[in-house]
Amino acid sequence: MPVLAIVGIARGYPPQHVAVDVGLVSVFACLAFWGSATERIRSVVVAIGLIVAASVFVHLTGGALESHFYFCVVLGLLALYNDWLPFLDAV
């Protein structure tokens, strides 16, 4: 998440904009560590969090082609996951 904040500030976004974008990723990170969630719910939250983080990165970089590659890599890694429910929920 610090990398997202650094990229956003370096690209000239106002701190409030960066805080909201990084805050979205932080919400999913916190939910993934929530103690009473089942393993399946955690998998879904982590998958959605990865997609959100990749999307925020694409947004903060202004849609640079390299950041789209990162987004596709995240989707590819999630597709290799054994449990398809988190992947389908995230997509």
Side-chain angles (χ1 to χ4, degrees), residues 5-78:
I6 292 169
V7 168
I9 297 294
R11 296 274 304 165
Y13 288 101
Q16 299 87 351
H17 184 115
V18 174
V20 168
D21 287 347
V22 174
L24 289 172
V25 179
S26 300
V27 166
F28 287 102
C30 291
L31 287 174
F33 286 107
W34 189 27
S36 64
T38 65
E39 191 63 34
R40 180 161 274 207
I41 290 172
R42 283 185 195 194
S43 295
V44 170
V45 169
V46 168
I48 293 171
L50 283 171
I51 299 258
V52 169
S55 300
V56 166
F57 185 64
V58 170
H59 165 67
L60 290 177
T61 59
L65 183 61
E66 294 82 9
S67 58
H68 279 87
F69 174 74
Y70 167 72
F71 182 78
C72 291
V73 167
V74 167
L75 286 178
L77 289 174
L78 287 173

